[in-house]
Amino acid sequence: MRVTLAPLAEQDLESIGDYIAQDNPNRVVTFIGELREQCKRIADNPAAYRLRLELGDGIRSCAHGQYVIFFEIVPESMRVVRILHGARDLPTLFHEGDVSP
């Protein structure tokens, strides 16, 4: 299944990279690569992951370390809508940001 990233998910990756670079600039490229690879693994069987109805219709999630990848299954692809640190106020972030196509 094809993986696409919503604009907010792309912004999240940039923010994650900026945050990691403050303490460990050498780790940025490998960690962002790990997140992208995890997205590809999710796409192998996206329906197997937990539904997060409190965040929106059809939103599912998968943890990767301290981060959570939020996605939805759309025709012929899996769309990553956000990638956020698990300790953040997730419902608030989802209601402030538009995760709709």
Side-chain angles (χ1 to χ4, degrees):
M1 180 174 280
R2 188 170 64 103
V3 176
T4 61
L5 275 73
L8 280 174
E10 291 285 0
Q11 290 174 9
D12 292 337
L13 283 177
E14 285 185 38
S15 296
I16 291 166
D18 291 345
Y19 180 77
I20 292 171
Q22 293 175 15
D23 292 326
N24 191 351
N26 296 327
R27 179 71 170 116
V28 173
V29 173
T30 58
F31 188 71
I32 297 302
E34 288 174 19
L35 287 170
R36 289 186 183 275
E37 283 300 314
Q38 183 64 29
C39 291
K40 291 178 186 175
R41 284 191 291 275
I42 292 168
D44 290 338
N45 190 11
Y49 293 88
R50 178 179 170 213
L51 268 171
R52 300 294 298 264
L53 297 175
E54 76 277 14
L55 301 176
D57 291 339
I59 300 293
R60 294 177 180 271
S61 68
C62 173
H64 181 80
Q66 295 180 345
Y67 289 86
V68 183
I69 299 166
F70 297 95
F71 62 94
E72 58 190 352
I73 302 168
V74 295
E76 314 238 352
S77 69
M78 181 202 81
R79 182 173 180 260
V80 178
V81 293
R82 298 297 309 255
I83 303 173
L84 302 168
H85 193 281
R88 296 189 67 191
D89 183 355
L90 301 175
T92 298
L93 289 170
F94 268 79
H95 294 299
E96 287 177 358
D98 180 18
V99 297
S100 302

